[in-house]
Amino acid sequence: MSEKNDGANRDVTKRSARERLQAEREQQRKKDKRRRALLVGGAVVGVLGLAAVVGVIAANTGKGDKSAKGPVAAPSGATGKDALAIQTGKDSAKSTLTVWEDFRCPACKAFEDNYRDTLHDLENRGLLKIEFHLVTLIDGNMRGTGSLNAANAAACAQDAGKFPAYHDVLFVNQPVETDDAYAKNAKLLELAGKVDGLDTPAFRSCVEDGTHNSWVAKSHEAFRAGKFKGTPTVLLDGKDIFGDQANPLTPQKLKEKVEANAGAAGAPKPSGSASASGSAAPSASASGKPGSVAKTGVSGASGGSPGSSGAKTVTKGTTED
């Protein structure tokens, strides 16, 4: 009897062990199934997440490209190589000042604030013409679109025959470098109200549509191709006059250079005998015409000597990263 009971107990024990083993296998199978499901699900989420990131990048890239896409529409009267310069002053002026500027650039504002009166005086006297090239360095360095939008608005002002005044307004009211205020068309249109006759439906449409954005982008590419080092870059008849740290430019020095190049045209005529032989300005001929002075012409976007990152007398210029 005892042997029968022992056998029955062993059978029960074996059966229980088999059942436990089956239960453990089933449990393990379910765990493996859940793990596979999680792995597959994670992979799907990863793929979807990557697709979402790529989509965001593509969307942002598209938005960025859109601002500078489309045909290159140069503003009215644009001049120089590829019509990438906006000229102020008289065509007959003996001297040409080429200026590469960014409306968000603090050093450009410093240059304009220090030289504005001198430049306008030389232009009004017919001694100097200025070729402005607009670039977007700060947009690239600090991010944003204020440089581009402001340059487009300035080109729109050129269409309206109001570029010089609006150009000055933009620099006088320039926001701090980190404030991309000029990215807002509303701000650019607000400032247009400071220029008589500029705020018109045509100007507003030009600003809001980004009519000259591609032209501005092409101007910036010309700046990069010219291997200029920063803004402002200032060339007088093709020669860099702003980057000489040993002999910094001043408004008075610029005035003297331009007057000398024009043979002192417009300056008061000395009384009595001719001026001293040590004068830097060439004497006028007997016919009354200014003496001939050789100068190297400058093409609108051809560049010349590398630009400067600024002079000590103004402030350090903005350079491209």
Side-chain angles (χ1 to χ4, degrees):
M1 190 70 177
S2 177
E3 291 179 358
K4 290 182 179 180
N5 289 337
D6 289 343
N9 289 336
R10 284 195 294 271
D11 291 340
V12 171
T13 299
K14 290 179 180 179
R15 187 167 57 250
S16 297
R18 286 195 300 270
E19 290 174 351
R20 284 197 303 272
L21 182 58
Q22 289 177 351
E24 289 174 359
R25 288 176 176 174
E26 180 64 19
Q27 187 176 9
Q28 186 63 41
R29 187 183 66 79
K30 290 180 179 180
K31 286 182 179 180
D32 291 343
K33 185 177 181 180
R34 285 197 299 271
R35 186 180 295 109
R36 286 194 299 271
L38 289 173
L39 290 173
V40 172
V44 171
V45 170
V47 171
L48 292 176
L50 179 61
V53 170
V54 172
V56 170
I57 293 174
N60 289 339
T61 301
K63 290 177 182 177
D65 291 343
K66 183 179 180 181
S67 63
K69 281 184 177 179
V72 176
S76 176
T79 187
K81 183 180 178 181
D82 295 331
L84 293 178
I86 294 178
Q87 180 183 303
T88 60
K90 298 177 181 178
D91 290 334
S92 59
K94 294 292 184 180
S95 294
T96 301
L97 194 71
T98 304
V99 182
W100 297 81
E101 291 183 316
D102 183 327
F103 286 110
R104 287 181 69 189
C105 165
C108 298
K109 173 178 170 59
F111 170 77
E112 287 293 337
D113 289 347
N114 279 281
Y115 289 81
R116 183 176 297 114
D117 291 343
T118 299
L119 296 179
H120 287 333
D121 173 65
L122 293 172
E123 285 183 310
N124 292 337
R125 291 165 58 193
L127 305 182
L128 180 71
K129 59 178 176 285
I130 305 176
E131 294 180 344
F132 290 99
H133 295 261
L134 310 181
V135 299
T136 57
L137 272 184
I138 305 300
D139 283 357
N141 293 348
M142 302 293 295
R143 307 306 175 196
T145 60
S147 300
L148 173 64
N149 291 9
N152 171 69
C156 295
Q158 170 68 10
D159 290 338
K162 304 286 184 178
F163 174 82
Y166 190 60
H167 165 275
D168 289 353
V169 164
L170 288 175
F171 277 116
V172 169
N173 294 276
Q174 184 191 80
V176 295
E177 188 177 14
T178 54
D179 179 8
D180 195 18
Y182 285 170
K184 300 176 181 178
N185 288 333
K187 180 64 176 178
L188 298 170
L189 294 173
E190 173 192 329
L191 293 177
K194 296 179 179 291
V195 179
D196 290 342
L198 178 57
D199 190 3
T200 64
F203 174 77
R204 284 178 167 265
S205 177
C206 182
V207 170
E208 292 169 350
D209 293 345
T211 299
H212 300 297
N213 281 355
S214 294
W215 176 81
V216 175
K218 188 171 182 179
S219 177
H220 183 73
E221 286 304 312
F223 173 81
R224 296 182 64 183
K227 300 186 184 303
F228 300 113
K229 294 180 180 178
T231 54
T233 288
V234 182
L235 312 174
L236 181 61
D237 297 324
K239 181 179 180 181
D240 179 9
I241 59 171
F242 197 62
D244 186 352
Q245 299 293 327
N247 184 27
L249 184 69
T250 66
Q252 181 60 31
K253 288 180 182 178
L254 176 61
K255 181 179 179 181
E256 291 171 357
K257 288 176 181 291
V258 171
E259 288 179 342
N261 198 34
K269 294 182 179 180
S271 58
S273 60
S275 59
S277 59
S279 173
S283 60
S285 64
S287 62
K289 294 181 181 180
S292 175
V293 180
K295 73 186 182 91
T296 56
V298 58
S299 178
S302 61
S305 60
S308 165
S309 61
K312 291 179 181 178
T313 53
V314 179
T315 184
K316 186 178 180 181
T318 300
T319 58
E320 187 165 22
D321 288 343

